[in-house]
Every structure is written in C-alpha cells, then in structure tokens.
Amino acid sequence: MIIAILKEPKDPRVAMVPKTVQRLTKAGHTVWVESGAGDTAYLSDAAFQEAGAETHARTDILKSAEVLFSIQAPSPEELQLCQTGATLIFAESAVDDPEIQRVAEEKGLTGFTLYNLPRTTRAQAMDILSSMASIAGYRSVLVAAAKLPRYFPLLMTAAGTIPPARVLVLGAGVAGLQAIATARRLGARVEAFDVRKATREEVESLGAKFVDVPGSDDDQTSGYAKEQSKAYLERQRETILTHISQADVVITTAQVRGRKAPILVDEEALNAMKPGSVIVDLAASTGGNCVRTKDQETVVYNGVQIIGDSSLAANMPMDASQLLSSNLNQFLSLLINKEGELHLNWEDEILEATCFTRKKITA
Amino acid sequence: MIIAILKEPKDPRVAMVPKTVQRLTKAGHTVWVESGAGDTAYLSDAAFQEAGAETHARTDILKSAEVLFSIQAPSPEELQLCQTGATLIFAESAVDDPEIQRVAEEKGLTGFTLYNLPRTTRAQAMDILSSMASIAGYRSVLVAAAKLPRYFPLLMTAAGTIPPARVLVLGAGVAGLQAIATARRLGARVEAFDVRKATREEVESLGAKFVDVPGSDDDQTSGYAKEQSKAYLERQRETILTHISQADVVITTAQVRGRKAPILVDEEALNAMKPGSVIVDLAASTGGNCVRTKDQETVVYNGVQIIGDSSLAANMPMDASQLLSSNLNQFLSLLINKEGELHLNWEDEILEATCFTRKKITA
Amino acid sequence: MEAFIAFVQDNLLMIYSVTFAVFLGFELISKVPTVIHTPLMSGANAISGVVIIGAILLIRQTPSDDYLVLSFGLLGVILGMINVVGGFAVTDRMLEMFKKKK
Amino acid sequence: MEAFIAFVQDNLLMIYSVTFAVFLGFELISKVPTVIHTPLMSGANAISGVVIIGAILLIRQTPSDDYLVLSFGLLGVILGMINVVGGFAVTDRMLEMFKKKK
Amino acid sequence: MMSSFWFDTAYFAGVLLFIIGLQRLGHPATARRGNLLAAGGMGLAILAAIFSPLQTDYGNFLWIILGLAIGAAVGFMAAKRVQMTSMPQLVSLFNGLGGACAVVISMVQLIGVEQTSPMSQPELGTILLTLVVGSVAFTGSLVAWAKLDGRLKDNALVPPFPTIFNMGLLLVSLGMVIYLAIIGEGSSLWLISLLAISLVYGITFVSPIGGADMPVVISLLNSFTGLTAALAGLIYGNQVMLMGGILVGSSGTILTVLMCKAMNRSLWNVIIGGFGSSGGGSSSAAAGEQVAKELSRPDAAILLAYSQSVIIVPGYGLAVAQAQRACRALDNELTARGVDVSYAIHPVAGRMPGHMNVLLAEVDVPYEKLLDLEQANEALPNTDVVIVVGANDVVNPSARTDTGSPIYGMPILDVDKAGKVLIMKRSMRPGYAGVQNPLFFLENSFMLFGDAKDTLQALLQETKVGV
Amino acid sequence: MMSSFWFDTAYFAGVLLFIIGLQRLGHPATARRGNLLAAGGMGLAILAAIFSPLQTDYGNFLWIILGLAIGAAVGFMAAKRVQMTSMPQLVSLFNGLGGACAVVISMVQLIGVEQTSPMSQPELGTILLTLVVGSVAFTGSLVAWAKLDGRLKDNALVPPFPTIFNMGLLLVSLGMVIYLAIIGEGSSLWLISLLAISLVYGITFVSPIGGADMPVVISLLNSFTGLTAALAGLIYGNQVMLMGGILVGSSGTILTVLMCKAMNRSLWNVIIGGFGSSGGGSSSAAAGEQVAKELSRPDAAILLAYSQSVIIVPGYGLAVAQAQRACRALDNELTARGVDVSYAIHPVAGRMPGHMNVLLAEVDVPYEKLLDLEQANEALPNTDVVIVVGANDVVNPSARTDTGSPIYGMPILDVDKAGKVLIMKRSMRPGYAGVQNPLFFLENSFMLFGDAKDTLQALLQETKVGV
Ligand SMILES: NC(=O)c1ccc[n+]([C@@H]2O[C@H](COP(=O)([O-])OP(=O)(O)OC[C@H]3O[C@@H](n4cnc5c(N)ncnc54)[C@H](OP(=O)(O)O)[C@@H]3O)[C@@H](O)[C@H]2O)c1
Ligand SMILES: NC(=O)c1ccc[n+]([C@@H]2O[C@H](COP(=O)([O-])OP(=O)(O)OC[C@H]3O[C@@H](n4cnc5c(N)ncnc54)[C@H](OP(=O)(O)O)[C@@H]3O)[C@@H](O)[C@H]2O)c1
Ligand SMILES: NC(=O)c1ccc[n+]([C@@H]2O[C@H](COP(=O)([O-])OP(=O)(O)OC[C@H]3O[C@@H](n4cnc5c(N)ncnc54)[C@H](O)[C@@H]3O)[C@@H](O)[C@H]2O)c1
Ligand SMILES: NC(=O)c1ccc[n+]([C@@H]2O[C@H](COP(=O)([O-])OP(=O)(O)OC[C@H]3O[C@@H](n4cnc5c(N)ncnc54)[C@H](O)[C@@H]3O)[C@@H](O)[C@H]2O)c1
C-alpha cells in the first residue's frame, strides 16, 4: 500500500516525520514523500529516504497515493488527480469547501479530517487540536515575554526591585493551561479565567489564581464552550476589565466551536491597559477575543501590542510535525487491520465523526 | 541645579524614568527631559511632567544642562552647545571618539562614563553593565526559545515524549548566569562553560552542569577574562565541539574586555550542529563568539539560526530604563554633597575610574 | 483497714516492684511506632501465657491420683502452652517482614 | 558466697525493685530530645539531693550533746539542701524558655 | 536453700528477659530479637517452674510434659499454617486460650484442691478476680476472633441496650467477688454463676464493638490476660507470673491507648461507641458488588520502606492536591533508604499535555527518573509497589479489555501487573472519562483514601518515624 | 505502726513523684511541671524523714531546721542570681555539694556514730563505697565547675599519663574498699587515706577532659551522686533514698550516653580522649584576637521554634549548597508553629542579579514573603532571630562604618540590629569581596558551621523531633 505525504504549500510543518515513516516502512508499507516536504521543518529529503521513503514530485504523489496525508486539504483541482478509491487524511482542514466534497464523491474517495475528532479520552492519542493548542499556549507566553518591555520574574537587584509581571489567561482550555504553566515557570503572577466551572480546579492545579465571575451558565456536556447569556457576558466583562487593567500580559484563548470567538477585551479594556502591555490572541483566526486583533498581524493600539498570531504552532515546526505525525499515525492504525490492509470499521465513533466523505459502496 | 536627560536617537531606552526623576525633584533639583525621550520605553512626557520634570527641545536641554544624562554620548557637535563646566554622565558609551575628548576639554566639561565602572562590590549599585547583561541573558533565552523549532521542556504527551531541549551556555558571566537560570526555568537541560574556574561553583549553584575543559590558565584578579593560551584554546575547542553538536541552543556570552571576542563556535562546530538549532551570540557587538555571527542580524547557516542580537537589553526598554535610571541615580549621589551641590571627591576610585575628561582646575 | 495496712507493710517492697513494673510497662511501650503495634500486641500476648506456670505448679501440687484435677491441670498446661508457643511463633512470622531484603 | 546467697534471698523483692528502677530510669530518658538534655540533667541532679534525707536521719539519731557529729550533720543538711533547692530552682529557670510566648 | 536460690535467679532472669524483650519489640529493627529474648525468658521460667523445689510436690511430670508437648505442637502448627492476613484472629484466639488457662487454674484452686486451711479474704478475692478477668478475656477473645474471621456478623450476639446491660453485668460480677471474698463462701453454685456471668460478660462486652475496632479490643483483652497472670502469680506467690503479668497488663493497656490514638479515637469511644457508630474505621467502600480494600498508612509505609522498587504514577489528583512537593519528599526518603523510585508518566495524565512534567519539574524531579508509557510498562511487572497518586483513567485496565468502555483501546499503564498497587484518591468516584475502574477491586490493590497531599505526608511521617 | 504506714506511704509517694517528674521532664511541653512534681516529691520525702518514727530518736529538730533554712536560702539565691549562660556551672556546683553531703554522712557513719554492734561486711562495704563515689562526685564536679566558669584552664591539674594515673587511682581505691570491707577495719588512718585518694581521683578524672565536654562529665558525675544516694539509702534502709538514687543513677547514665551520641562521640572517647584531642566540640574559630561563638543545633532549633519572627537572609552560600529546598522546609515547619518567617533579599546577594529570586522561586516561596533591602531593614530591628544562610558581604556591618573597606558605602542588611543572628557558613573565610566580617564577633551573633543544606536539615530535624 502506498502511503503518501504531501508538502504543505503555506505551512512550515509536515504531516509525517522520518521517525514515523520508518515505522510504516518497517511495517511493510510503501511511503512516498513529496520532495522538499520537510525542508521548512528542518527535515531533509535525505532523512526521509533514510527512513525508507521515496521522494517524488507532487503530481506523482497525488496520482499514486492509496492513503494520502496532508495537513491542509489540497485544492479540488489537485484532488482530481487522485486515483479512485484513495483515502485522504487531513490533519487540520475544516474541509468547508463544497467543491472538495464534490470531487471526492465523484472520484469515490474516502476522506477523513482530524479537525472533527471527538474530544474523548480514547481519541486523545490522535488529538491534533490538543497537540497544537499545547504548542500555541507555550509559544504564546514566549512571544509575549519577548515582546513585553519588562521582565517576567520578580528580581531584586542592586538597581532596585523589579516586580513580577502579571499575566492574565482568558480561556483555560488546552492552550490556556499550557500558557499558565509556562508563564508560571517564567516566574510571572498568573491569573486565569474561563466560563467553564470545571476549569477552576484545573487552573489551580497549576498553581495559578482563578478569576471569579459571579454566576455562570455553564455547560459541561461537550468539551467545547457554548455561547453565553447577555447578563453573564456583562458581569464577565466588568470583572475581566479590572483584571485586564492590572495585567502586563493578556493571553486569550477563548473559542466557541463553529462560531466567532467571543470578545473578551473590548475598547474600554484596551484603554484601561498600561502602555507597554502585550496581548496575545490565540483566537485570532476565528475573529479574536480582542476587538482590535488582526489575524496574523501585530497591532499596536494605545501602547498595547496586540499579537494576532494564529500560526504559533506552525512556527515551531520540528516538534509540531513530530506531534502531528504521531497523532496521524495513531489515526492510521485505526484504519488498518493486522494484515496491514485498509479496513474501515464504521462502527467506530472516531471514524464516524472524522469522515467527511465516504466512497458509496454501490458506486 | 538643572539635571537634564537626553532622548536616545537610536535606542528605545531612556536614561532616567519618572520614578527616579521624582526623587530628584523632591530633593530640590530641577529636571529637564527632552520631549519624547521616554516614548519608546512607554514613558510619556506627561508621566515625566507628573514627576516634576520639564520637557524641552533637545538644543535647549543641551544648552542649559548642568548635569547631563544620556546613554550614548551625543555627537561632538551637539556637545559644543553645552555650557562651560557642565557635567556629563553617559551610561554605556565607551567614549572612544577623540573628538568628544577634544570638545569636552575645550569647553571645560567634566565627563563620566559608567562603561568604565570598576566591577567592585561597592560599585554594584551603579553597575549598568551588570543590569543590562542580566536582561540580555534573560532575553537571549526567550529569543532562542521563540526561534527554536522545538519545545524547551520535557513533555510526555499522548503524541509521544518530547525530550527536553539541550542548552549550552558559553561564558558564565552575569549574562550567562541569567541565561542559565532562565533556561532552567523553562525546563531545558542546561550545560555551561567558562574559562574562569570560579564560575564552576556559580554555574552549579544554579543547578546546571559545568562542562570541563581539562586544564585552564585562569586569572582571577579582575572581573574580566583575559585571552587564553594556544594549547588551551585547542583543548577547549574540542571539548566544546562535542557539546555543541548535541545542543539545541547555544548561547554565547564570552567577552574579553577591550579585545575582539574569542571564537568559540567555529565552522566545524557549526557543521556538527543539528539543523534547526539556534545560536544566540551576545558577544556580537565585539565580533561574536561564533564565526558566522553578524551583529544585529540573524544568519541562517546550514539550518542553524545564528542570532547576533547585541541590543537584547534595549529591546526590553521599560525595565531596562528603570534599571539604568536607578544605576545612574546611584552614581549621581556620589557626585552630590548633602547640600545638593556637585562635589567631586577625586579620591573615590569610582569617580577616578569612570571619568574620561576633567575640567582643568587652572582653566 | 487494719488488714490492709498490715498487708501493705508486709509487702512494701512488692508494692514498689509492682508499681515500678507498671511504670516500666508503660514506658517501654509509650513511644513505639504505629507499625509495630500488631506484632507488639502479639508478643505481649505470648508473654501473658506465663499463666501456664500456675497450671504447672497446680499439677505438681496435685496428688497423683486426683485425676479430675490433674486433667484440669493438663488442660491448663495445654491451653497456656498453645498461647505461649503459638504466640511467640506467630509474632516471629509477623516480624519476618521487617527483615531488610538487601 | 553463702552470705551473698542469703542476702539475695532475704532481699529478693528489693533486687526486683532496684532492677526495675534501673530499667525505668533508662526508659524514662532514652527517647528524650536533645534540647531537653541540660534541664533534665539539672532536674536529675536536684533529685540526687535526696541524699539529704540521710543527713536528716543522721542528726535525729545523734545524741543532742554530740556537737561534733551534729555539726557534721548540719553541714550535710546544708549541702544537701543547697543541692535540692538550688537544683530545682535553676531547672525551673532553665525551663522558662520553653514557655510559648503567645 | 541453695537450689531455691538458683530457681529464684532463673525466675528473675525470666523477668529481665521479658523486659528486655518488650523493649526490643518496640523497634522494627530489633523486634525479632526481642521476641526471641522474651521466648527465652518464658522457657527459663517454665523450666524453673517444673524443677523448682516445692513444699508439697507430687511430681506428675508426665502430665506436665504431655501438656507442654500437646500445647506446643498445636500452637506451633497453628502459627506456621496461618495466612498473613488472618494473624490477628489467631492472636486473639491464643489470648482467649491464655484466659481459659487462668479460668481453669482458679476454678481448681477454688474447688479442686482440698482446702487444708481456709483461705484469707484477700487470697479468696484474688482467686475470684482471676476467675472473672480470665473468663472475660476468654470469651471476649473468642468473639473477637470470630468477628475478625468473618464467622460472626457485626451485629450478632448484641444484647439489648448493650451499654446498660454490660454495666449491669460488670457491677454484678464485681459485687459477687467482693461479697464472696468477705463471707469466705466458695460453694459451687455461687462459683458456677459467677463463672457464667463472667463468660457472658466477655461475650456481650465485645459483641457490640465493630469489626474494624477488633485489634484494639484484642489488645485490651490481652492486658486482661496479663492481669490474670499477675493475679495468679499472687496466688502462687510466684514472681515471674506476677511481674510478667503486670508488665503485659500495663504495656497492653498503654498499647491499647496508642492504638486508639492512631485511629484518632478514645478507648472509651471504642468500647461505648460500639456497633453501628464504628463505621469510621471500616469504610471499605463498596461499588456494585465488589469491595475495595483499604490499607492503613503505617502498613503502607512499611510496604514502601521494605520494597526494592517503587513506581509513582501521578495523575490529575496530584495536581489538584498540589501534592508534588510531598511526593518528592517521600521519593527522597525512600531513595535514601535504598528503594529504587521512579515515576511513570502517562501521556494523557492530568488535564493538559505535559501537565505532570510541569508539576514534577517544579520540584526538580530529575528527568532520568521519569518513565514514559513504554518504559513504564516494561518496568511495571518487576516493580514491587506502585503508588497511584490521584490517577484513574490512565490506569484503568478496562481500557485493555472492555470493548464497550469509552476508553477502550487507550494504552494504559499496566500497574495491575506490579506486585502491589497503592491507590490514593479521595473517594470511589470515577475520573475524567466517568468510567468505573476495576483496578480498585483487584487482589493486589489497596486504597488509601484522602487528599493525596495529606496521604503522602502521612506516609512520609510514618516512614521517617515508624520504620 | 499505724503512723509508720503513713510515712511509708509518703516515701512511696515521693518515689512516684520522682518517676512522674522525670517522665515529664523529658518533654519540653511538660518539663516545667515535671520539675515541680519532682520537687514536690522531694518535699514530701524530707517531711517524712523529719517526722517519721525512729528507733533511736534524739530529735534535734532545731539543727535540722537550721540546716534546711540555710541550705534553702543559699541554693535559692544562687539559682535566682545566676546568669543564663552560667547555669551549667551552677548545676555542676550543686552536684558537687550533693556529693559532699554523702561524704559527710558516710564519714560520720564510719567514725562519728558509736558502733553499737560491729557492722557486717556488706554494710561496711556499702558505706565505704558511698564515701568513694561521693568524694569523686564532689571534687570532680568542682573541677568541672571551675573549668566551665573559666577559673581553670583546660590543661591545669592534669596528672602525668592521665589515663594510667587514673586507672591506678581507681584500682587502688576500689581495692581498699574491698579490703577494708572484708577485714572490717574502720580506722581513721585508712579512712582518711581512702578519702584523700578518692578526692584526688575526682580531680584527676575530670581535669584532662576538655572544657567543651564538661556537660557530659557533669551528667556522669550526677549519676554518681545518684548512686551515692542509693548506697546511703541502703545504709539507712530508706526506700526513697534508695529508689530516688537508683533512678537518678540510671537515668543519669543513659543521659550521659545520649549526650555523647548527640556529639557523635562515645562516652569512652570523652573520658579517655581527654585533653587536647577534645578539639572537636569546641572549635570556636578565632580570627585575629576575636572569637566567634558557636551555637549547637538543638539550641538553635529551640531559639527558632520559640521566637515570634524570623528573617532568613539567603546568600551565595545558599546557592552553592543548593539549600533552597531545605530552607523552605524549615520555613514551613516554623510557619506551622506560628513563627512569622520572611526572607530578606539583598540586591547583590549571590552572583547574578536576582540569583536568590531564582532559587526561592524554584521552591515556590510566595512573593509576599520576600522583603527587599528597605523593607527588610525596617523589619530587622523588630525581628527575634535572623538566619544568615551563606551570606557574607551583604550583611557586613563594616560597609556602614569602615571607610577603608572595599565595600564601604554599600547598603547592607542590618541583621546586627535583630535580636539574635544565626550565621550558617562552612568556615571563617570571607566572601566575594574578601573582607572580614565583624558581624561574626558581635554579642548577638552565633555561628553554625557546616554546609548550609546540612545545617538547615539538622535544624529542621531538631525542630520537628526535639522542640
Ligand atoms: N492530558 C491531557 O491533555 C488531558 C486533557 C483533557 C482531559 N484529559 C483526560 O483526563 C484524564 C487524565 O487521567 P488521570 O488519571 O490523570 O486523571 P483522572 O482519570 O481524571 O483521575 C483523577 C483522579 O484523581 C482523584 N483526585 C482528585 N483530586 C484529588 C486529591 N486532591 N487527592 C487525591 N486524589 C484526587 C480523583 O478521584 P477522587 O475524586 O476520588 O479523589 C480522580 O479519580 C484522562 O481521561 C484524559 O483523557 C487529559
Ligand atoms: N548579585 C550579583 O549580581 C553579584 C555578581 C557578582 C558578584 N557579586 C558579589 O557577591 C557578593 C554577594 O554576597 P553574598 O553575601 O551573597 O555572598 P558572599 O559574600 O560571597 O558570601 C557567601 C558565603 O557563603 C558561604 N558558603 C559558600 N558555600 C557554602 C555552603 N555550601 N554552605 C554554607 N555556606 C557556604 C561562604 O562562606 P564559607 O566559605 O565559610 O562557607 C561565603 O562567606 C557581594 O560581594 C557581591 O558584590 C554579586
Ligand atoms: N477527552 C479528552 O481527553 C480531551 C482532549 C482534548 C481536550 N479536551 C477538553 O476539551 C476542552 C476544550 O479544549 P480546547 O482547548 O480545545 O478548547 P477551545 O480551544 O475550544 O476553547 C478554549 C477555552 O476557552 C473557553 N471559553 C470559551 N468561551 C469563553 C468565554 N466567553 N470566556 C472565557 N473562556 C471561554 C472554553 O471554555 C475553553 O476552555 C477542555 O476542557 C479539554 O480538557 C478533552
Ligand atoms: N564586584 C561585583 O560585584 C561584580 C559586578 C558585576 C560583575 N562582576 C563579575 O565580573 C565578572 C565578569 O562579568 P561580565 O558578565 O561582565 O563578564 P564579560 O561580559 O566580560 O564576560 C562574560 C564571561 O565570558 C567568559 N569568557 C571570556 N573568554 C572566554 C572564553 N574564551 N571561553 C569561555 N568563556 C569566556 C568570562 O570569563 C566571563 O565570565 C563576573 O565574574 C561577575 O561576577 C562582579
């Protein structure tokens, strides 16, 4: 079976790293890697070849792949090249282009995207969102610390005492928690807020302080937060405002699946912030938690640097690719039986949930 | 007495911050600050005015100052504007321009530069080199971590175990020690090397490992390291080579006062390094500890990013200015007697050492 | 009361000994770590089997044809001996776990 | 040897008491924290002043005109009493520092 | 005269050996030797009792030898055969037999031996008291044994209004002793009723007390037996019985108090609290049909201190309890004792990737001590003890087997393959995934309920002081 | 008969009170009460001795009252007047007086009291032994007192070949006791020589032992006094003397052994090691003319545990010793005891800016506990105890005053203004700046030499177990 890996045109990461490729080739699979796929992640073609892969041009890859890995979905035109019945596995693509659906159906492709992976315990080994959120959380603090015109830790030096920076983390999901941990490591005073009540314990388990907003309409059933009531939003806004005004760094990670991200830092809050403060908005790609956030840009407003960097994970391509690769390999193992052949068990809720197109059995 | 503070044309820092200005005005001094001096350090003119200072244009400042503070020396032309007998205090200028000396002598100026401060215990409160080296050490790690395509800490996640990054710090002076501490905080495995034997204990006191180079011709008498013997350099080169080849991040801080920085990372070492590794060269301004370092530039060689950032401290302008300001104020207090008048005690070795030009008493 | 005083004066030293023994028993045990409670109880229990000596003396003082009393004495000795031997043996087994393996 | 055996048999209970007292003394002190060593020594020293009772009994048993022996007895009582009163008092002062201030 | 001296000396040596034995028994390191010393003392005393000169001496050595042989054989076999876990019962049983021995002696003294001279009041009183205390120790110990052995339910044999009932019996029996001693009566009817009342009191004294408190009760009854031995010693004018009995009596009493203290209860509370309110000690939580075993902290401490390899499995509970520091402290203590300690980090332990790494880095656990899933699962089967600190889902064996489980297929840490598993959590509640954990009910699993930090600190304390 | 019963009871109660008193004396929390109990026991015993019926009773109560009054007054005044620091000497002196009392009694028994019947061998032996042991306790205690009080140099009064010399004296005196007891001789000459030899032995026994070991010696001599009391009790057939003496004798002996252990030496080593080799205990390092005082760890622990506010001043030595964890542990323990603990961070402590912050952050010391220079110097004058953990230059008061010093003018932490200063370092070596630190020689400064981590851990241990 030919397992193929595409190079990402706009992303320094690569879907599989040589270490994983080696496992696959050892297991008897043929692995094709697009030439230069790993370059931006410091993984040379030679390294892939050493791991037993062949490197090929993009079109060859597309034409021959039986299982095709990529992070973002290729264009519908490229998919046209695929052989009938091929299996596509995308790491992060939402696959919201109806054209892709159409092409896939037409060509009898079976497609999965881990973007839709359920957030269950069993699925965690393939949870790319978690892996990447974790990197983003870690890097958000590094970026903030590098941009902040101040020290993070408390320092008592001959030239006086430098008080520790105050870091406020809004949204304590995977990224938020990692940000808390990293900021604490660097010696900052960390506070965090999330609408989900369960996160209080999680925040405190990392030694940070949880910011209380009196009352919350919480929904625990899914891992994702839903939108909040008006009254609550107002109370929340006020509480956060006071904490924002004291913060040196604000890291926002609040997202509501499938919707625009909630605004947590509004104009009033921005005006209350100290000049020199830094906001890192991890929700930038879905509109941002801060009113002034621009995706992929750093905006300076009123002396406050607002970093709308939604590609934080991509900018740590080596470990990011490593994690992606491991997640995807775990997913692949769900699709393969003991004999090393594709065998799709549609009973499995993970396959069910991640599949965006399925070869009609009648077709 | 008019104490004046210049804006730095090429530096985001400012020599005095409002907090210190307030002390001076409270003590009865008149403080003039160049308009916009603090802008880049997020310190508004308003803040200075609130602290009791007046803001004025640059030429006015130069003309009226009795004591003039700046980080780098102004041009000789500008100094021509100064009133006779004024006292100049520079924070970081080496004052190697003979023209300045000439102008100063001509105008009967008395000039000090803290660049020449002795590294004694008593002088530590005004030790700008220490304050800035400390920031540079801290930031070097942040920059390295932000550039490294990998995590710093060990992470055991659902997608496999990410081993901790290996950080090698070459030169364990003030900056090196701070880098060690910061890298350890972020969870890296840290090793360090310095030619001065005394640093072993200091390195270990921060929980890092000291790299042994068999034999050393050490000189403990001054705080500054002197140049090393040929044979030693060869042994050192070899030892460091093996450690460099394993490192993910190399931070070099080795400087020898008044000379070109020693080359610790040569071509061979660079070639042995893993692609994706990062070098931060804090000695960039004196030629760099790495052969390929370019001052103020990031060079990529063979997949290794070589960051020659000699303005790391300047890029944290708020706290940097705060520390500078406090150091300068400590120095100023040496020059002022109880009545608040200038009174230079030339017996004091600190004045002695830092003075670069002195008003002739006969003049 | 008279009888009591007489008893006390006749047995002053015994009273001293008994009192000291009581204190000694207290002191010996008062700072013992919790982990040793059970084996200690077991060991003390074995010592309390010292009552067997009464049974032995009983048999020795009984005419050899008084089978009823002798049987009782025999029963006493058996019961006491089970307590003694079993008690020490089981304590020893409990304490095996304290042997450091290395 | 005979005399010794006779002595032992006459004083069996005293031997028991003395032995128990020895053990008791050991046990009472054996697990004492270091900080208390000095006051404890001082307290024990005061108790050892119990020898004064010998001096008292000596005086009482001395004919009232035997001034030499009486003077010796007086000396004994004085010495012993200094030991007793001074000992307890100084111990008390040492122990003042253990009073928790709050 | 001369020979009597040697026997006196032998008795004296016996007492000394008892004292030294008890002293040694108090320290884990010397306890075994102490036990042997005490046994030696006992042997000496028995030999002396057999051979010492008596005023009336009929010999009857065959009877004695026979009794000793039978008793020794039975006792030895029972002790060797018993399972580790049923030792407390056995001790209780032995204690009961000791009490029975005293009952037999005193009954014979009262009835069997023909009274040459009428007994004095104190003498008679002493014998009667021996009878009463011995009887209580006898039946009480039997009830305790039966409870521990699961032969008697906790609420069996409980009289109505147990406290009042028992008070009544106690007063009646003591009253009878005093009355009989004063009137000098020794008629069989009186004696039989006194015996009967005492025996019943032994039963009703113990029966209302919960099974979990039995060790305390046994210790108390043991001091009773000691007391009877001392009383019997008075009867026979025998020093070794007197002193040995007193020693056991007083040390047993203080031991009982200590045991109550270790359970954070008073002796009174144990005795009166009785059945029903005794839940505190025996909260073996039941889930469905199964029952999870609890382990006491001292026992856990000993288990750890005397094992060779320990693996700590931290989970979200470690983070919640902020127990990383306590965990490191215990690690240090164990390592100092030569135990090989490492940490098994499950990839999804905690609530974010690397959660455990962050916490353990905070307390500077060397990276070398951290095992990842694969390394850990290799090491676990050869590990003596695993400490699961607030982890749950990541050690849930149903992930391996139960296809219906929401965590089926997730690789877990195979802690069930280790020698023993200590599990620290606050309750039987499930973890994040909300599934029950069959690990808790396995043969080699033991629960240590409570906040993980508290539990770890308690273990540290026990290991430092106790072992 | 009846009244004798009551006096027997009083003696008995006295013994009981001694026992309970000693028991209580063993715990800091109850020690004071224990002392009072023992004193009560003594009072009871003295009263009983005065009023108990005697066979030959001449009364002479005035004599007795007079003696008691003088003794009590002198003893009381001495105890009240003495400085805290000279208490050990005083105890030694008291002990010597107790020994002298025994000497007086035994001399009188031997010579003064007219022998109605010749004494038995054991009796005579007992009295002679009382004389010998009492004499040794007497002169030995006086020498110990003189040494501690600085009245006698360490090498004064040492005989040539002290070990052999003392062995000889010991053998001679014991030989004389046995010989005299057997021949029943009691002539004055013999007695006077025995007395003289014993008195000399007391001196030469103690004189070779170093001043630092005197507390051990005092404890040993104290158990000697106990022994004489017991022997005298035998002479008088008095239980309270016998039992009280035995108790002191045995507890004194074990206490001596414990004290040696606490110094990591054997009793034998103390006695034989003698003068010169005894440096271990008294290494008060001298710098120039001045002498820095050392404090024992137990004393330091007590000082800390019973103070209200403690400020820890970390320096480079903390970093070198990697003692941050130990420091935090001590902080926790003290805080748990209600002591107010904070940290004073000097701006240039350590070897890089913020060095101390990094270390303390590693062990999560809350930022609120950190005082900077100004805050600390405000708090220090009201602080009970300062612990300087491996800091030196930053607490060097010469920076304030000594214009010649290379650190003149540097603001320092004014730890010398606090109540007491404990200084942990390994030696008297100077710090980074290379200047001597006059702080070490101040009245309120005490050195705790050794690696800071070890010292802190030892203090923690002492505080946990001891106080
Ligand atoms: N690592 C990640 O990235 C991540 C992210 C999200 C979710 N998850 C999920 O989280 C779970 C992690 O497994 P886990 O074993 O670490 O945790 P877990 O299964 O959630 O179990 C934690 C256990 O700790 C106990 N506990 C809580 N507080 C405690 C305290 N103070 N003292 C003692 N015990 C305490 C709880 O029992 P009691 O209540 O009885 O005390 C609970 O059973 C997995 O299901 C994983 O999928 C992981
Ligand atoms: N903070 C900075 O940025 C910086 C940079 C460079 C230089 N300095 C200078 O360094 C000095 C700092 O003052 P400081 O008081 O922190 O340090 P210090 O004056 O150097 O004194 C440290 C003391 O710690 C003791 N020590 C070393 N190892 C120890 C161990 N394992 N256990 C116990 N004690 C140990 C040493 O005494 P023993 O040898 O007797 O044990 C030494 O006297 C100042 O003079 C400052 O100017 C500071
Ligand atoms: N089952 C598993 O093993 C598994 C795996 C991964 C994640 N998860 C869980 O899924 C949950 C979400 O993870 P995520 O990081 O992908 O979430 P996310 O990126 O969707 O959201 C980030 C956080 O923002 C919070 N948020 C949303 N609206 C907010 C608002 N208005 N104000 C403040 N906070 C707001 C959310 O509650 C969430 O915690 C987490 O609880 C995580 O533990 C579980
Ligand atoms: N007295 C004081 O209070 C005080 C104040 C500040 C600094 N200092 C001391 O001064 C010293 C220098 O401080 P700095 O940071 O300004 O030094 P620096 O910037 O001049 O040099 C940095 C380090 O590089 C090292 N180095 C030089 N050549 C090297 C080579 N070939 N290989 C490896 N390492 C090499 C030096 O030994 C030094 O430790 C330090 O010891 C510091 O503690 C003392």
Side-chain angles (χ1 to χ4, degrees), chain A residues 119-121 124 127 130 173-174 193-194 196 223 225 253-255 262, chain E residues 432:
Chain A
R119 307 301 290 268
T120 61
T121 293
Q124 264 200 285
D127 190 345
S130 270
V174 175
F193 167 73
D194 195 301
R196 286 183 301 126
T253 75
Q255 302 197 326
Chain E
Y432 185 88

Side-chain angles (χ1 to χ4, degrees), chain C residues 14-61:
Chain C
M14 194 182 77
I15 293 176
Y16 271 100
S17 327
V18 168
T19 313
F20 286 176
V22 169
F23 271 100
L24 194 50
F26 274 33
E27 280 300 317
L28 282 174
I29 305 308
S30 62
K31 278 160 215 149
V32 152
T34 348
V35 289
I36 209 84
H37 282 175
T38 308
L40 186 57
M41 176 178 84
S42 178
N45 169 50
I47 295 179
S48 75
V50 73
V51 71
I52 192 184
I53 286 173
I56 293 175
L57 296 178
L58 177 71
I59 294 185
R60 289 182 60 196
Q61 289 172 341

Side-chain angles (χ1 to χ4, degrees), chain B residues 23 119-122 124-125 130-131 134 173-174 177-179 181 184-185 196 198-207 223 330 349, chain F residues 316 318-322 324 347-348 351-355 357-359 361-362 367 374 393 405-411 426 432-433:
Chain B
R23 286 203 193 173
R119 308 301 291 267
T120 61
T121 294
R122 188 164 78 88
Q124 263 200 286
S130 271
S131 303
S134 188
V174 176
L177 291 177
Q178 197 65 258
R184 287 249 317 145
R185 280 191 129 146
R196 286 182 302 125
T199 56
R200 162 188 287 281
E201 204 186 50
E202 298 174 6
V203 165
E204 285 169 356
S205 85
L206 286 163
Q330 292 280 356
E349 65 153 348
Chain F
Y316 180 55
L318 177 99
V320 173
Q322 286 284 295
Q324 60 269 41
V348 306
R351 287 290 182 275
M352 67 163 203
H355 202 161
N357 295 127
V358 170
L359 295 172
E362 209 178 305
Y367 284 161
E374 273 174 44
D393 297 343
S405 169
I407 58 170
Y408 175 66
M410 176 172 85
R426 296 165 306 183
Y432 185 87

